[in-house]
Amino acid sequence: MSLEVRDLRKSYPTRAEQLEVLRGVELTLQPGETVAIMGPSGSGKSTLLNILGTLDKPTSGSVKLNKVDPFTLDETGIAAFRNQRIGFVFQEHHLLPQCNVLENVLIPTLVHPNLDKAQIEAVARKLLEEVGLSHRLSHQPAELSGGERQRVAIARALILKPALLLADEPTGNLDQKIAREVGELLIRLTREQSAILIAVTHSSELAATFPRTLKMEEGLLVPA
Ligand code: ADP
Ligand code: MG
């Protein structure tokens, strides 16, 4: 399921003029590929990730995942596409505080009442084993460290086997050693699932663990 981004543009209307944030982004990624995106604050990294994740719409251009352009679908179609094809990891973990670790990982599956409960729970347990949290299944997020919470968020992002995993500053709140471990985990699991990973980071150390690094510059993605 390849990702093809063609001449992607996004402008925001401001009082004086149009603010052109994305000015023709091109990107092609194949299953199993992982890429880090760097660039100064305000350069449009989150704008790009939000559009790739269908949380926002482009002004023009196309995004195709497995040859499907989600922006040609209606709202229901876009929501289903997002749920089934895309996983998100944000800087803030966004775990539900009242749910335990296992329940948090299962949240994206709740909109699929027909899924076999035992089967999907086994997938969640397996993922939690892979992120090293098998012994924490019944813990609440508040009982975990920052790095552990991000591991739960990663397992949750992967539970429905997305084709595209988007991570916006996933290690921004973590110290360097933990950040590196979380980055390596993201890369390893993405490859195991033959997904595509796009991770935005400020850290050149983290970016160096990725085989390919790009940067946002003048509204374009260029080699870093
Ligand atoms: P980054 O993630 O690289 O820090 P963003 O994508 O968040 O950058 O923002 C890029 C630019 O777009 C910034 O100048 C920001 O102020 C502007 N911007 C982002 N969202 C909006 C919006 N909804 N309306 C107007 N301007 C926005
Ligand atoms: Mg940002």
Side-chain angles (χ1 to χ4, degrees), residues 47-66:
T47 299
L48 175 64
L49 250 60
N50 288 343
I51 292 173
L52 298 182
T54 73
L55 296 172
D56 197 0
K57 288 194 160 91
T59 305
S60 67
S62 73
V63 174
K64 282 187 184 157
L65 187 60
N66 194 27

Side-chain angles (χ1 to χ4, degrees), residues 12-14 19 21 39-48 168:
Y12 294 111
T14 62
L19 177 67
V21 179
S41 183
S43 59
K45 305 180 299 297
S46 293
T47 299
L48 175 64
D168 198 348

Side-chain angles (χ1 to χ4, degrees), residues 105-147:
V105 172
L106 287 167
I107 285 167
T109 71
L110 299 179
V111 297
H112 301 287
N114 295 332
L115 281 177
D116 183 296
K117 256 205 152 96
Q119 212 171 342
I120 197 71
E121 201 178 299
V123 175
R125 285 172 188 274
K126 174 95 198 319
L127 273 169
L128 283 163
E129 186 185 324
E130 297 215 43
V131 303
L133 289 175
S134 284
H135 56 304
R136 299 296 196 108
L137 299 185
S138 57
H139 287 221
Q140 313 282 125
E143 298 169 319
L144 304 176
S145 69

Side-chain angles (χ1 to χ4, degrees), residues 185-204:
L185 182 65
L186 274 169
I187 293 172
R188 178 166 63 78
L189 292 178
T190 299
R191 287 183 177 149
E192 276 177 25
Q193 297 207 358
S194 295
I196 291 168
L197 169 64
I198 303 177
V200 164
T201 180
H202 266 109
S203 156
S204 42

